[in-house]
Amino acid sequence: MELRTRWGAVAALFIAGVVVALQIGKAAIAVPVLQQELALSLVVASWVIGAYGVLGAVAGLPAGIVASLFSARRTLIAGLLASGLGSLAGAFVSDGSLLIVTRVIEGGGFLTAVLALPRLLRAVTAVKDRDTVLAVWGAYMPIGSVIMMVAGPHLMAAGWQTLWIVNGVIVLAYAAVVAFLPLPDEAQPAGVLRTVMPNIKAALGSPGPILLALAFGIYTFQYAAMANLLPTLLVDRLGLSIAAAGTISAITVAANAVGNVFAGALLRFGAPFWAVAAFAYCFVGVAGFGVFSENLPVVLIAALASASLAVTGLIPASIFAAAPRFAPTSALLAIVLGLLNQTSNLGNLFGPAAMATVVKHFGWDGAPYLFVGVTACGLTVALMLRAAMKHARTSP
């Protein structure tokens, strides 16, 4: 009998992704308060934000390999518990270095959870709905970020500790919810350790997963470059207030979430994975000339930035939908997801640095050419992915 999509379970798992994504956004919102109350330098404060990214960049693939040894349901619960406990512990520290330690604990929980969730989504979704569900899953990160941008300042009215405590309680409460959900808990085969090396070889020795990982890294490179430095562009070059720049930035992040969701519809109507990604990469290269123009009005620049991040939101959605094509088993999918997580975090780390370097040496007028480079690299990978998809093993 063909599996029918359990939409209630799909919704519950998507919410789990949003819940852990909240933990990334809270640090960015709290930086000014943390600097004042804990006497943190900007460098230390940046590590409070960047701990997640560094952890993912270093441990993404190893974490995926370890996760492949355990059932996805247990892995998700463990990740939620670690994230929640790390947040609660962080609320009671009074030192910047200890806060970073708790953020590393949170980051480990986040990484563990996001390696498990797509595996569970595949298990509760019918084949005909799988591409759509996994594409929409990609919106969990921007949705979590937008929620925290809106709610974070209100929660901090009683101190940044309140923000940490509320987030910790939310994650732990949701871990309890997940524990009682009727989710599949696949039994690991007796010789599971013997399958690790073949799975690693399958993930790293074939072009499909490598190309997906490169595509994801290129996407996050341009996303981080655009989203993180857009407020600086709006304030320094166009003279906007910090509040106005923050509002426009929140809109662009929300637009990215819309792009993720819209990708699900495109894939449902039969649009090829590689073509969706290729179009998005081409768009960002063209839009960059408008976003960084000093001759366009602010409204048009904001609209182009939103459109750019909305269209590139098609990319991660397509990648999540394509990943199971190269990973017929849950254990292999865990390793592929770990590889994707590692390259995406590398993109997050290097994107803003590359953008800042270009602007430093060539001014904002040089910024569009960085995105032209993104287009060239992304389009090349997308075309190579087209060939790899022809040989991909379609999972049952």
Side-chain angles (χ1 to χ4, degrees):
M1 183 178 179
E2 184 181 352
L3 171 69
R4 300 180 66 178
T5 300
R6 294 167 49 192
W7 291 109
V10 169
L13 292 169
F14 182 82
I15 292 172
V18 173
V19 165
V20 292
L22 295 175
Q23 313 315 307
I24 294 181
K26 73 183 182 191
I29 291 294
V31 161
V33 178
L34 291 173
Q35 284 186 274
Q36 182 177 359
E37 294 194 13
L38 298 181
L40 303 183
S41 67
L42 184 59
V43 172
V44 174
S46 70
W47 277 102
V48 173
I49 299 175
Y52 274 40
V54 173
L55 183 64
V58 173
L61 180 57
I65 294 171
V66 173
S68 72
L69 302 176
F70 301 94
S71 74
R73 181 175 179 273
R74 294 178 183 179
T75 302
L76 172 58
I77 294 172
L80 291 170
L81 289 174
S83 183
L85 292 173
S87 187
L88 288 179
F92 297 97
V93 304
S94 57
D95 176 79
S97 59
L98 290 177
L99 184 59
I100 292 173
V101 170
T102 65
R103 288 289 288 170
V104 171
I105 296 171
E106 286 183 48
F110 170 84
L111 182 57
T112 302
V114 298
L115 290 175
L117 282 162
R119 298 165 63 191
L120 288 168
L121 285 169
R122 179 168 73 169
V124 299
T125 306
V127 173
K128 64 183 180 65
D129 299 319
R130 192 169 292 163
D131 291 348
T132 302
V133 167
L134 289 173
V136 173
W137 153 251
Y140 81 97
M141 183 71 78
I143 289 176
S145 298
V146 170
I147 290 174
M148 194 49 58
M149 286 179 183
V150 174
H154 300 288
L155 291 173
M156 282 194 299
W160 68 268
Q161 294 89 345
T162 302
L163 180 61
W164 257 246
I165 291 172
V166 169
N167 272 279
V169 170
I170 289 173
V171 180
L172 292 177
Y174 209 79
V177 171
V178 170
F180 286 100
L181 285 177
L183 296 172
D185 194 5
E186 73 269 22
Q188 299 300 93
V192 65
L193 287 174
R194 291 196 297 271
T195 67
V196 172
M197 289 309 298
N199 281 336
I200 295 174
K201 183 177 180 181
L204 302 182
S206 57
I210 300 296
L211 290 172
L212 286 179
L214 289 174
F216 212 162
I218 295 168
Y219 159 76
T220 55
F221 177 94
Q222 66 80 34
Y223 174 90
M226 176 76 75
N228 289 346
L229 291 183
L230 181 61
T232 304
L233 168 72
L234 296 172
V235 173
D236 291 352
R237 193 175 196 185
L238 301 177
L240 270 65
S241 67
I242 293 176
T247 299
I248 292 174
S249 298
I251 292 171
T252 61
V253 173
N256 184 255
V258 173
N260 277 267
V261 174
F262 185 65
L266 287 178
L267 296 176
R268 195 172 188 88
F269 284 109
F273 302 105
W274 69 270
V276 172
F279 168 74
Y281 283 126
C282 289
F283 186 89
V284 72
V286 175
F289 287 97
V291 172
F292 298 100
S293 171
E294 61 180 343
N295 299 318
L296 295 180
V298 172
V299 172
L300 186 53
I301 289 175
L304 281 171
S306 297
S308 179
L309 289 183
V311 172
T312 54
L314 301 171
I315 299 170
S318 301
I319 290 171
F320 280 123
R325 303 296 180 96
F326 301 104
T329 67
S330 180
L332 180 54
L333 182 57
I335 296 175
V336 172
L337 291 169
L339 180 62
L340 294 178
N341 199 285
Q342 186 144 2
T343 56
S344 70
N345 280 289
L346 287 170
N348 279 325
L349 287 175
F350 290 117
M355 179 76 154
T357 301
V358 169
V359 172
K360 178 181 178 181
H361 288 91
F362 304 103
W364 289 108
D365 290 335
Y369 298 100
L370 179 68
F371 292 92
V372 170
V374 167
T375 294
C377 295
L379 186 58
T380 300
V381 171
L383 293 175
M384 294 173 69
L385 186 59
R386 178 189 183 188
M389 289 297 297
K390 295 180 179 180
H391 302 93
R393 297 175 56 188
T394 303
S395 58

